């Protein structure tokens, strides 16, 4: 680990000052300390933001949900409002990492976490994300867990977060504060596809701080849930996952929100699946036909071809679970 | 006391900071190299070698301790951040010669072989019971999944946690 100086801040202004001077925020530390030990991350100044008052879950005026950036994964998952309004978020969180990690890790840190690509984590390997222009060892390497959607010639790494998939499905917004004031970014624009600049992962400006993730109100009744498929039953990242929320009224699907994880360079929205569902009545053939559209545009690599079929089946199964089989 | 990080020595003195915390009820004040993990502080400097280093990356649970009553991975916790914190390790669970009920249950159930994962399992189990995730063997398995056992003692570990929770 490279040496760093450490400073603790107690209000947002102080944090932004330190961040603007090049300090690196640390929340739960479960991504950052791990990657610092691997010397993938080499911050010179750590700014401890855990004392900031960004640790509340609130229901917004319109019936949406605001989850403070410093709410831990465990607290968010267990929060009664989260459980009743958006069980999909609790499920995605409780299927993430371990109880210990969820006690430490925060919502802000979670959406900021970096890829688990083994070449990214190995400082002796070529990786454009870590060392711009060095190449991508995963493209021709062992890429079983890598992305089939949203990749570029420069990077094929997945975004590993589970709850980010639920946030993407629910059209969440990321609330930010920075030297130039506050702003909100739609979740879909917050995490960036690699393109030619895989080292840029978020549309975050220098020194900007995430203050909360906000879920807009969705028409009720809403049924939602998260399904995660992985190599072992727990404490493992997704090979594929599906986050689905359905608004069904009068026997007809009025609104469908569908996103997939484990398959994209960012949490992957599935608008083709959503379009196929809206206006229809729930049925097993409908789920199958909609899920058939889940892998539109997929470009598998040598070792991850299985993800194409697995993704469709994951979406179909989760449609059945959330929407019923009638 | 100045406490090093166990890292390769960098050119010049690495930044360090004072921190006061309580470990197993005993107040401690140290100056730590900022890079020092709680796990290294406990093992290398306080002589509390019960907490184990398996992966040093959050992926095994051998280093599990309680910080302010919550189970965490001490390998991913920077000691410098623990100002005012209360840390409980496996060494702090017993009451004098009286083992913690979960420690006794691990012995009664024969819930270990090599024992390397055991301190982490027990501290994590204490957290799991406190959190109330012991309704069924399946629930215990899921909420104890952050602790890997290479010897595969899971069946008996689950039994020990379940019995202790039931006795409460
Ligand atoms: C073994 C293991 C298994 C895991 N399994 C899963 C899993 O199955 N699913 C899953 O989703 N995740 C998993 N994770 C990842 C884990 O969820 C993340 O490490 C965690 O959520 C990061 O949050 P943190 O608060 O610890 O972030 P930190 O490590 O503190 O920070 C991460 C990054 O975010 C930045 N940051 C933090 N907070 C803010 C803020 N408010 N504003 C701006 N920038 C900020 C930091 O500067 C840093 O760059 C796993 C991790 C480990 C180690
Ligand atoms: S040593 Fe900390 S989790 Fe493995
Ligand atoms: S008893 Fe050997 S690793 Fe668990």
């Amino acid at each position: 680990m490279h040496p760093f100086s450490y400073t603790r801040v107690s209000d947002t202004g102080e944090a932004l000052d330190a961040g603007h001077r090049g300090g690196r925020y640390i929340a739960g530390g479960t991504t950052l300390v791990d990657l610092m030990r691997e010397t993938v991350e080499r911050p010179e100044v750590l700014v401890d933001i855990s004392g900031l008052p960004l640790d509340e879950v609130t229901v917004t005026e319109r019936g949406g949900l605001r989850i403070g950036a410093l709410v831990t994964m465990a607290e968010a998952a267990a929060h009664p409002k989260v459980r009743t309004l958006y069980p999909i978020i609790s499920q995605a969180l409780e299927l993430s990492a371990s109880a210990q990690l969820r006690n430490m890790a925060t919502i802000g840190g979670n959406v900021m976490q970096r890829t688990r690509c083994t070449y990214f984590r190995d400082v002796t390997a070529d990786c454009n994300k870590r060392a711009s222009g060095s190449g991508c060892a995963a493209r021709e390497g062992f890429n079983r867990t890598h992305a089939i959607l949203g990749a570029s010639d420069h990077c094929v790494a997945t975004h590993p977060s589970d709850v980010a998939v639920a946030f993407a499905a629910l059209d969440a917004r990321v609330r930010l504060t920075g030297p130039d004031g506050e702003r909100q970014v739609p979740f879909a624009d917050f995490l960036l596809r690699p393109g030619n600049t895989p080292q840029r992962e978020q549309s975050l400006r220098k020194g900007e701080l995430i203050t909360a993730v906000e879920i807009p109100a969705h028409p009720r009744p809403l049924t939602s849930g998260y399904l995660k498929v992985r190599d072992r039953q727990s404490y493992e990242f997704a090979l594929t996952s599906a986050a689905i929320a359905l608004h069904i009224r009068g026997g007809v699907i009025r609104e469908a929100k569908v996103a997939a994880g484990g398959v994209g360079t960012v949490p992957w929205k599935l608008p083709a699946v959503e379009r196929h569902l809206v206006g229809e009545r729930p049925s097993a053939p409908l789920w199958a036909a909609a899920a058939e559209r889940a892998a539109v545009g997929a470009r598998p690599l040598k070792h991850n071809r299985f993800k194409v079929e697995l993704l469709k089946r994951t979406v179909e199964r989760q449609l059945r679970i959330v929407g019923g089989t009638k | 006391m100045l406490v090093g990080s166990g890292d390769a020595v960098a050119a010049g003195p690495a930044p360090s900071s004072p921190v006061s915390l309580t470990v197993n009820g005993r107040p401690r004040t140290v100056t730590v190299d900022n890079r020092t993990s709680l796990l290294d502080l406990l093992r290398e400097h306080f002589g509390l070698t019960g907490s184990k280093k398996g992966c040093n990356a959050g992926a095994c649970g051998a280093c599990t301790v309680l910080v302010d009553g919550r189970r965490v991975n001490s390998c991913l916790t920077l000691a410098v951040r623990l100002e005012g914190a209360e840390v409980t390790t496996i060494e702090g669970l017993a009451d004098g010669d009286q083992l913690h009920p979960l420690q006794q249950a691990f012995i009664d159930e024969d819930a270990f072989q090599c024992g390397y994962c055991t301190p982490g399992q027990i501290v994590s189990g204490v957290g799991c019971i406190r959190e109330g995730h012991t309704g069924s063997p399946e629930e215990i398995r899921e909420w104890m999944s952050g602790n890997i056992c290479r010897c595969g003692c899971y069946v008996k570990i689950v039994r020990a946690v379940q019995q202790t929770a039931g006795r409460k």
Side-chain angles (χ1 to χ4, degrees), chain A residues 18 43 62 146 170 184 207 294 323:
Chain A
R62 296 181 169 178
H146 288 71
L170 295 170
Q184 294 190 26

Side-chain angles (χ1 to χ4, degrees), chain A residues 282-311:
Chain A
S283 73
L286 179 70
W287 304 146
E292 202 45 51
R293 289 157 172 80
V296 172
R299 290 177 57 193
L301 304 161
K302 184 168 177 203
H303 301 288
N304 67 8
R305 192 161 294 277
F306 71 98
K307 281 194 178 183
V308 175
E309 184 60 26
L310 189 61
L311 170 60

Side-chain angles (χ1 to χ4, degrees), chain A:
Chain A
M1 203 183 288
H2 286 242
F4 58 88
S5 63
Y6 169 82
T7 165
R8 209 175 288 134
V9 292
S10 50
D11 67 59
T12 308
E14 242 184 289
L16 293 179
D17 280 348
H20 195 63
R21 287 197 303 270
R24 186 69 176 274
Y25 301 132
I26 182 165
T30 61
T31 286
L32 196 51
V33 173
D34 180 29
L35 291 177
M36 283 165 63
R37 190 168 283 138
E38 299 298 330
T39 67
V40 171
E41 298 272 21
R42 303 166 191 197
E44 285 176 8
V45 179
L46 276 193
V47 181
D48 190 336
I49 58 172
S50 56
L52 300 185
L54 303 172
D55 56 352
E56 278 187 20
V57 177
T58 41
V59 178
T60 61
E61 312 79 62
R62 296 181 169 178
L65 209 54
R66 187 178 303 141
I67 308 177
L70 290 171
V71 176
T72 65
M73 291 171 73
E75 288 161 353
H79 197 281
K81 289 294 179 201
V82 178
R83 291 189 95 79
T84 50
L85 290 175
Y86 294 103
I88 185 174
I89 294 175
S90 291
Q91 289 171 21
L93 288 168
E94 289 186 348
L95 292 169
S96 299
S98 67
Q100 290 95 315
L101 289 161
R102 296 193 296 269
N103 278 340
M104 305 170 73
T106 64
I107 292 295
N110 186 289
V111 299
M112 292 290 293
Q113 70 176 290
R114 309 200 65 188
T115 184
R116 306 300 291 194
C117 172
T118 47
Y119 302 105
F120 170 74
R121 292 175 60 85
D122 173 1
V123 289
T124 65
D126 292 338
C127 172
N128 289 320
K129 204 185 253 312
R130 174 171 37 72
S132 192
S134 63
C136 172
R139 254 204 170 277
E140 303 302 326
F142 188 61
N143 46 36
R144 179 173 174 273
T145 60
H146 288 71
I148 56 172
L149 290 158
S152 72
D153 287 344
H154 305 280
C155 183
V156 295
T158 55
H159 191 277
S161 168
D162 290 293
V163 78
V165 182
F167 289 157
L170 295 170
D171 298 322
R173 304 172 78 78
V174 182
R175 293 177 72 108
L176 303 168
T177 182
D180 306 327
E182 302 193 4
R183 64 185 185 117
Q184 294 190 26
V185 181
F187 205 78
D189 300 332
F190 181 71
L191 296 175
L192 306 176
R193 299 187 200 184
N196 295 325
T197 53
Q199 71 280 8
R200 276 211 72 207
E201 297 176 330
Q202 304 92 10
S203 55
L204 207 60
R205 299 177 191 148
K206 188 179 172 196
E208 246 178 347
L209 184 70
I210 303 175
T211 55
V213 174
E214 197 164 302
I215 321 296
H218 289 272
R220 303 273 159 179
L222 191 78
T223 52
S224 71
Y226 186 75
L227 177 67
K228 181 172 179 181
V229 179
R230 41 190 163 170
D231 280 330
R232 60 180 181 193
Q233 200 174 339
S234 186
Y235 202 12
E236 184 56 273
F237 290 91
L239 287 171
T240 60
S241 72
I244 298 181
L246 299 176
H247 169 50
I248 304 173
R249 197 165 32 82
V252 175
I253 302 168
R254 312 283 169 167
E255 195 176 283
K257 298 288 173 194
V258 185
V263 290
T265 49
V266 294
W268 206 255
K269 297 266 284 175
L270 297 175
V273 175
E274 294 174 349
R275 275 196 303 273
H276 196 78
L277 294 167
V278 172
E280 303 293 329
R281 292 178 175 274
S283 73
L286 179 70
W287 304 146
E292 202 45 51
R293 289 157 172 80
V296 172
R299 290 177 57 193
L301 304 161
K302 184 168 177 203
H303 301 288
N304 67 8
R305 192 161 294 277
F306 71 98
K307 281 194 178 183
V308 175
E309 184 60 26
L310 189 61
L311 170 60
K312 294 182 196 169
R313 293 188 193 186
T314 307
V315 170
E316 183 181 347
R317 170 166 328 174
Q318 187 60 357
L319 281 169
R320 223 184 301 143
I321 293 170
V322 172
T325 33
K326 279 196 286 25

Side-chain angles (χ1 to χ4, degrees), chain B residues 36-53:
Chain B
T36 312
S37 69
L38 172 58
L39 179 60
D40 283 341
L41 179 67
L42 293 169
R43 289 182 55 85
E44 310 297 333
H45 306 290
F46 293 164
L48 295 170
T49 53
S51 309
K52 297 290 184 266
K53 189 181 283 186

Side-chain angles (χ1 to χ4, degrees), chain B:
Chain B
M1 174 168 73
L2 176 67
V3 163
S5 75
D7 267 290
V9 179
S16 58
S17 317
V19 58
S20 297
L21 70 170
T22 305
V23 179
N24 298 331
R26 179 171 161 199
R28 305 266 202 165
T29 297
V30 286
T31 298
V32 293
D33 179 322
N34 290 347
R35 297 171 292 179
T36 312
S37 69
L38 172 58
L39 179 60
D40 283 341
L41 179 67
L42 293 169
R43 289 182 55 85
E44 310 297 333
H45 306 290
F46 293 164
L48 295 170
T49 53
S51 309
K52 297 290 184 266
K53 189 181 283 186
C55 64
N56 216 20
C60 78
C63 65
T64 303
V65 302
L66 305 177
V67 173
D68 297 329
R70 293 182 311 171
R71 49 179 167 158
V72 300
N73 306 89
S74 62
C75 69
L76 292 185
T77 304
L78 293 174
V80 65
R81 307 185 69 193
L82 294 176
E83 183 61 38
E86 277 188 35
V87 177
T88 305
T89 71
I90 186 72
E91 290 91 343
L93 288 183
D95 183 5
D97 286 342
Q98 184 72 35
L99 291 182
H100 184 281
L102 188 57
Q103 289 176 308
Q104 189 60 51
F106 265 66
I107 295 169
D108 296 344
E109 289 298 329
D110 196 17
F112 48 85
Q113 287 182 43
C114 77
Y116 197 81
C117 72
T118 312
Q121 298 278 4
I122 293 176
V123 176
S124 185
V126 169
C128 184
I129 292 168
R130 263 189 212 168
E131 293 160 17
H133 293 297
T134 55
S136 66
E138 294 69 36
E139 188 180 6
I140 294 171
R141 273 181 177 269
E142 174 58 34
W143 287 84
M144 287 292 293
S145 73
N147 294 79
I148 308 286
C149 176
R150 291 301 290 267
C151 299
C153 300
Y154 296 109
V155 173
K156 292 173 173 179
I157 292 169
V158 169
R159 220 178 273 156
V161 172
Q162 194 175 20
Q163 284 187 5
T164 307
R167 224 180 281 132
K168 242 190 355 164

